[in-house]
Amino acid sequence: MVILAIDTSCDETSVAITNGRKILSNVIYSQVLLHKKWGGVVPSIAKRAHEERINFVVESACHPRGGGDPGLLNSIDYIAVTQGPGLAVALEVGIKKAKELAKKYQKKLISVNHLEGHIYSAFVQNSQGNPKSDFKFPYLALIISGGHTEFVIFENHLKYKIIGQTLDDAAGEALDKAAKLLGLGYPGGPVLERLAYEVDNVDNHNFPRPMLRSKDLNFSFSGLKTSFYYFLKKNPNKTSEVKLLASSFQEAVFDTLIKKTEMAIKQTGINRLIIGGGVIANSRLRNLMRALVKKYHGEVLFPTYKYLTGDNAAMIGIVAGYKAGKGLFVKDDDQLDRVPRMSL
Ligand code: KG4
Ligand code: ZN
């Protein structure tokens, strides 16, 4: 079942062609340089950049061997697109293109939740079908991205139960805001990772670990951000210690994620973890998660290739394959609309 999938949920224009769990092609055009100077994603710029790039990205995904090749368009069975959550004006561009392609090539449409994509990114295979590991339900999934921090029980294909989420900022958002306060630019996660690594991930500030006293599995990162803000305000000369501050802040966020994950393992009794979303590109967090599951004799799956941690259409195509298998198509293409606050 060959699927052309589109994701324009935030600041990456991505189109992929997938077959089952295999990626035949996956093109990601990142807008990060366009947003960098504004310190975050600017919706109007995102919309325009998606519109300018979408045709080129579709073309490139369909012709992974170059323009002279007949390409993959003729083998496509269905068209899939991210419906939400994400930036409304950005989602619209992908949905419009998906409808256009579905009409032109007379294909059924499949709408996908972007968060399902981040969960399934742990099962994406390359074109040779590697890695081969199969599903062993149930999983405890943790999505950690710029917009979401969520615990989900992944019960079976397309069956999810949310058991905890952030009440305010997402973990990635907190990292981005801290980096901004330190004058390190956008996106903040990768810069903080690099600076923290240079000081061996030391934590010499012990910033607050929010929500650890409560037994529920929700997160809240805005208090940590505020406390960091006031610390910098009271200690303006401390920015010279930028590496130690970056590292201590990162540790506060990661320690919170690890301790809550430990609570989730204990409460659910599930020791097989999936972690998806941009923040799990971070090697320090991967190592902490690996150590945690070892303690519980479990295993942890990350997106199979590092470039699949961030936003990409391949993960959307893989989910769409399972939806197609169950006959879950869009009933009326004209009625398909973006859902910016879509939940699982
Ligand atoms: O999943 P994603 O690409 O987009 C959303 O759906 O939000 O996640 C983006 C987030 C940003 O907050 C970014 O700072 C963070 O992922 N991120 C990282 C790293 N790379 C990206 N955070 C920590 N360490 C990294 N290496
Ligand atoms: Zn995402």
Side-chain angles (χ1 to χ4, degrees):
M1 208 169 335
V2 180
I3 292 178
L4 181 148
I6 303 178
D7 184 284
T8 58
S9 57
C10 189
D11 59 345
E12 260 96 32
T13 316
S14 184
V15 178
I17 316 264
T18 56
N19 183 359
R21 282 165 59 191
K22 292 189 204 133
I23 307 184
L24 305 185
S25 73
N26 181 39
V27 180
I28 305 169
Y29 174 74
S30 172
Q31 304 173 359
V32 88
L33 292 175
L34 300 177
H35 299 291
K36 214 179 179 87
K37 66 177 170 195
W38 305 103
V41 177
V42 182
S44 57
I45 295 178
K47 175 183 160 71
R48 185 148 34 97
H50 283 306
E51 284 170 346
E52 281 170 9
R53 283 283 159 169
I54 187 77
N55 285 334
F56 174 76
V57 178
V58 169
E59 271 298 301
S60 316
C62 290
H63 294 97
R65 276 180 259 277
D69 195 83
L72 298 167
L73 253 177
N74 290 333
S75 49
I76 287 163
D77 297 305
Y78 303 111
I79 311 279
V81 65
T82 299
Q83 186 176 19
L87 213 54
V89 291
L91 290 164
E92 271 165 19
V93 180
I95 292 174
K96 189 172 162 219
K97 180 53 64 184
K99 286 182 185 175
E100 197 184 299
L101 292 170
K103 196 170 222 164
K104 183 169 170 189
Y105 296 103
Q106 294 288 300
K107 303 291 174 200
K108 284 188 181 161
L109 261 182
I110 301 164
S111 64
V112 173
N113 182 313
H114 181 80
L115 300 177
E116 298 182 87
H118 278 305
I119 295 176
Y120 273 86
S121 62
F123 298 96
V124 176
Q125 297 173 327
N126 66 12
S127 59
Q128 311 301 312
N130 291 315
K132 302 218 180 303
S133 57
D134 212 347
F135 292 86
K136 287 184 236 158
F137 294 108
Y139 292 95
L140 172 64
L142 172 59
I143 301 161
I144 334 171
S145 70
H148 292 86
T149 310
E150 272 184 43
F151 279 120
V152 180
I153 300 182
F154 183 23
E155 296 171 332
N156 209 324
H157 284 300
L158 312 177
K159 277 201 80 186
Y160 319 94
K161 189 164 143 203
I162 299 174
I163 54 168
Q165 57 194 319
T166 183
L167 305 175
D168 40 57
D169 292 356
E173 190 178 359
L175 296 170
D176 290 340
K177 286 179 177 168
K180 197 170 176 180
L181 290 172
L182 290 171
L184 299 173
Y186 171 86
V191 194
L192 294 187
E193 173 173 22
R194 183 168 47 77
L195 295 179
Y197 178 76
E198 287 175 21
V199 291
D200 289 330
N201 300 302
V202 66
D203 178 8
N204 66 346
H205 285 286
N206 200 28
F207 291 116
R209 271 71 167 152
M211 303 287 282
L212 288 186
R213 252 174 278 145
S214 91
K215 287 238 174 340
D216 66 40
L217 298 173
N218 292 326
F219 298 93
S220 163
F221 289 106
S222 77
L224 166 63
K225 177 195 66 191
T226 310
S227 121
F228 190 64
Y229 170 80
Y230 283 110
F231 179 87
L232 295 181
K233 215 170 158 175
K234 269 194 230 137
N235 303 279
N237 54 338
K238 288 276 164 106
T239 40
S240 59
E241 287 183 16
V242 62
K243 289 182 188 173
L244 297 172
L245 288 163
S247 182
S248 301
F249 187 88
Q250 183 180 272
E251 285 303 292
V253 172
F254 290 178
D255 193 31
T256 308
L257 291 170
I258 292 293
K259 296 224 165 85
K260 281 279 177 185
T261 306
E262 182 159 18
M263 278 186 210
I265 293 174
K266 284 186 182 158
Q267 287 180 24
T268 60
I270 303 174
N271 65 358
R272 275 195 304 275
L273 267 61
I274 292 174
I275 312 198
V279 179
I280 202 59
N282 190 293
S283 301
R284 168 72 176 158
L285 184 58
R286 286 188 176 209
N287 287 338
L288 292 169
M289 286 291 177
R290 283 191 191 104
L292 175 68
V293 293
K294 199 165 169 200
K295 195 167 142 192
Y296 289 89
H297 310 289
E299 59 171 329
V300 57
L301 301 177
F302 302 122
T304 43
Y305 298 95
K306 226 171 185 177
Y307 71 91
L308 298 173
T309 53
D311 291 344
N312 67 86
M315 65 186 192
I316 303 303
I318 306 305
V319 176
Y322 288 97
K323 291 189 92 167
K326 290 190 187 248
L328 297 171
F329 301 104
V330 172
K331 290 202 177 74
D332 178 355
D333 290 8
D334 293 334
Q335 297 297 315
L336 180 69
D337 199 3
R338 80 276 191 288
V339 182
R341 295 185 165 273
M342 194 175 195
S343 83
L344 274 173

